[in-house]
Amino acid sequence: MVLETHIAELRGLLGAGGLLRQPEDLAAYQTGARHDRGLAAFVARPATTEDVSALLAYCCRHGIALVPQTGNTGLVAGSTPDMSGLQGVLSLDRLRSVFDLDLDNRSVRVGAGLRLSEINGRLEPHSLFFPIDLGADPCAGGMVATNTGGARFLRFGDVRRNTLGLKVVLADEQGTVLDLGDGLRKNNTGVDWKQCFIGTSGAFGVITECVFNLERLPRQTATAFLVPKSDGHVMGILADMEAQLGAYLSAFEDMSKAAISCALEHVPSLRNPFPGGAIPDHVILVEISRSWAPREGEQSLDAVLEAVLGEIWSRPDEPLADAFVGRPHEMWALRHALSEGVKAAGHLVAFDLSFRRGDVMRFREHMRTELAASMPAVRVCDFGHVGDGGLHFNLLVGSRDAEPPSAATVSELRDRVIRVAVETFGGSFSAEHAIGRTNQPFYDRYASDKLKAMASAFKQQTSPGPIGAARFG
Amino acid sequence: MVLETHIAELRGLLGAGGLLRQPEDLAAYQTGARHDRGLAAFVARPATTEDVSALLAYCCRHGIALVPQTGNTGLVAGSTPDMSGLQGVLSLDRLRSVFDLDLDNRSVRVGAGLRLSEINGRLEPHSLFFPIDLGADPCAGGMVATNTGGARFLRFGDVRRNTLGLKVVLADEQGTVLDLGDGLRKNNTGVDWKQCFIGTSGAFGVITECVFNLERLPRQTATAFLVPKSDGHVMGILADMEAQLGAYLSAFEDMSKAAISCALEHVPSLRNPFPGGAIPDHVILVEISRSWAPREGEQSLDAVLEAVLGEIWSRPDEPLADAFVGRPHEMWALRHALSEGVKAAGHLVAFDLSFRRGDVMRFREHMRTELAASMPAVRVCDFGHVGDGGLHFNLLVGSRDAEPPSAATVSELRDRVIRVAVETFGGSFSAEHAIGRTNQPFYDRYASDKLKAMASAFKQQTSPGPIGAARFG
């Protein structure tokens, strides 16, 4: 239990509205976007980097545990407190005032508490955007702390690639503030320390400001659904599209029939786009885009995409069973509804895996076969990013009406899937959600002793205080 | 002095040809690409990662200092020994056998001792390349250890962006080998430790293998020289080109009249491409490219570039004084000869700076004015990468026939330029060469005490043995 004297001190540090204790105020902060539930001792809401520093210094000196949180849209229990009731939530939702746009540099400095949609809304008049495309709407700080990727990774990369600088506050006795870069694209003057705070869930320090690279907003796009003749044709189609379209290619997303079915069934705003309503076993959403308005004498992007698909269509191995060009809004609406649809369809055990690209389809096949044999009640509703090797491998264990699966079943499933992903295929057990409490056992299992020792020493050197949901030391 | 007993031991570890001691054998390893000279106690040439491990373990246990070296093309004395005669060179020039191409994943694993030209030569039949474009021809290991960028950074990023994995050997008593990634593009399962070995000159460990992202080789390019009406128009031209050309734009390089003059004067293979031979004050090399062969109904890239330049030409503020489209080979030959031309023209004091993009032209103007007033004998022969903020700020201090400048003059110049770059403009004193002995004083001056303490602790945790030309702890 956090002593009342500490609460009074923290309230003094953070001012009115800076500290929440009422159960009704805490609810939103202690519940995650999927199934994690926790109990917050309090929620601290500092309004400035200086306040974050004072808070962390106080909490470090008194051993008060904090879990940093921004948009709280993550899926691995990385931004919520555990059930002990001993952890406070450090919400950065008041760090919203900084928005320094540098048009010449194509970069912006933002407060950690600004949402992706807000950032991009303010950039749109300048025809710029922060090129991370997600179904959810996280905040800047959380996107950095998880190093999220999203559906346009293939073209624009992840948050790491687009982060030019960070301001970080350490959980040490001084609440040390580190300025790690200010918009330089080239800077090799020692260890690039900001990299260590990207994708590490706030365990080594709390991000309060981010400097992001911006890209030109697409002004033309063309989209298609492709139906490959078989799984074995997918990589050939991708290679052909990369060869023929280069940097035009901005998405190559894979959707299983089961995931599409869940979305169509449970998200009422969607329409079944397939002829006769017959959902293919496997659909690839491809998108090409460019940042300028149509120019005289230039082919439209739809024509470019049709020409390229025509070439692929007539290849000797006939890799395509079907292809539909057009209706980008409808296609993306379906793609972005998959996560919601799967969640609504039953009791979900979700994995965010990644592989070398050629292994995505091989893993799917391997795992489907293994699960069909060993756990036939499990329904695979996967989708992912074949273009970058990411795979959202979702398993439904019984319908919504059924009893939820036992903890033992969930644990067995997790163990089985992650063993195959990591040990058989050399994949990653967390592609773009980082380590939260959910992934902690797999960090503990798969990180080597030496890398664990390095993380533990780095933790002591940066934030010895108890901070973050994940444990690195 | 390194004891003969150690030499005998090392020779036993590394086998015949694995250890060099004869002065004529050492010469190439102890002399840098520009003006650094050192004395090597020996050159160790391990042939495998296991040999590197045995060597580092032995040298760590006996306190024998090593400087890792691959292509030795760097310009900051980062890969050569000092004058003490106490340091050995750890050359990785025999680590050349690994070349594992993964076409599905668009990646390759290479030994640290393979040259950029060799890597790209072997990739060309697959229409792929490692997209780092340099005048020099470094090896894989050195490119990672300096995080080099080059002339196509604007489109393809630096080595960091394109590094998917590393194998690193630590200078500890065990010669610990770290496997840091194997081609995954998305992997957030703890600290991404490979980032700490990128751009840090081997001080924390020796890179023996690299996994690189590959890109499709350009199949069409169009190139132009632009003459802006004034420095003040450059950023507007860049913004227009980015808006109109998006990811087509693969270079936006800046060349001063003085640098061009040096190249034309001292590199006999070049031809003066300017009408009447009149070199403009300031020339921008732009390149656009795409990875596919010309398709029916598609405008040629020359036509695209001409159309875009036509639009920029007719803007109300008339930003262009002149523009020449065509002759890409000749244009790039001139661009890549600038470094050699400037070096041949006299006594050179060179800086590899970077800025937020809008500050490149402001810094040039500021520094030219300051130097003209305070050190009028100094001739500024700069060129750089306006598109990414990099600036090769080269100063000629007297002609080749003149006495070289005194150490005091060089030191004063370095101090003066870097103070303005860092303190006035918030720039970097090492954009893409990392820290060697040349940049050590500026690391010591500008890194904060906290960041130095973090580097020092990380050094103890990884490679406590004396390794590398730079000192981080």
Side-chain angles (χ1 to χ4, degrees), chain A residues 218-277:
Chain A
R219 298 283 296 277
Q220 302 178 72
T221 59
T223 313
F225 278 161
L226 308 185
V227 182
K229 192 157 283 174
S230 77
D231 282 6
H233 288 97
V234 171
M235 294 313 295
I237 297 170
L238 174 58
D240 271 7
M241 299 204 78
E242 290 192 329
Q244 292 296 319
L245 291 161
Y248 277 179
L249 189 62
S250 45
F252 191 94
E253 299 278 300
D254 165 70
M255 309 190 286
S256 68
K257 179 178 181 174
I260 295 171
S261 303
C262 289
L264 292 176
E265 192 171 335
H266 297 282
V267 182
S269 59
L270 298 175
R271 196 187 70 87
N272 187 323
F274 301 100

Side-chain angles (χ1 to χ4, degrees), chain A residues 104-106 147 155 182 186-188 242 244-245 247-248 295 354 356-357 428 430-431 450 461, chain B residues 104-106 147 155 182 186-188 242 244 247-248 292 295 354 356-357 428 430-431 450 461:
Chain A
D104 279 343
N105 200 46
R106 256 202 294 110
N147 186 26
R155 169 68 188 88
D182 187 21
K186 285 179 164 171
N187 181 22
N188 288 289
E242 290 192 329
Q244 292 296 319
L245 291 161
Y248 277 179
R295 277 195 290 259
S354 93
R356 285 178 298 269
R357 304 197 310 180
S428 168
S430 187
K450 180 65 189 175
Q461 195 62 31
Chain B
D104 279 344
N105 200 45
R106 257 202 293 108
N147 187 25
R155 169 69 188 85
D182 187 22
K186 284 179 164 172
N187 182 22
N188 288 289
E242 291 192 329
Q244 293 296 319
Y248 277 178
W292 59 89
R295 277 195 289 258
S354 92
R356 285 177 298 267
R357 304 196 312 179
S428 168
S430 188
K450 181 65 190 176
Q461 194 64 30

Side-chain angles (χ1 to χ4, degrees), chain B residues 438-456:
Chain B
T438 309
N439 285 324
Q440 185 76 50
F442 305 107
Y443 175 80
D444 295 342
R445 183 192 293 169
Y446 290 115
S448 72
D449 289 344
K450 181 65 190 176
L451 295 187
K452 277 183 196 154
M454 284 161 62
S456 181

Side-chain angles (χ1 to χ4, degrees), chain A residues 359-414:
Chain A
D359 285 337
V360 174
M361 304 307 286
R362 285 193 277 269
F363 169 82
R364 294 176 78 233
E365 181 57 28
H366 180 114
M367 206 68 233
R368 271 164 199 275
T369 306
E370 181 176 325
L371 288 173
S374 62
M375 301 175 86
V378 170
R379 188 170 162 217
V380 181
C381 300
D382 59 337
F383 58 96
H385 319 285
V386 178
D388 60 52
L391 178 64
H392 296 293
F393 197 71
N394 297 299
L395 304 180
L396 286 181
V397 192
S399 67
R400 274 198 295 187
D401 316 325
E403 281 291 298
S406 68
T409 301
V410 171
S411 176
E412 187 197 334
L413 256 183
R414 288 203 174 282

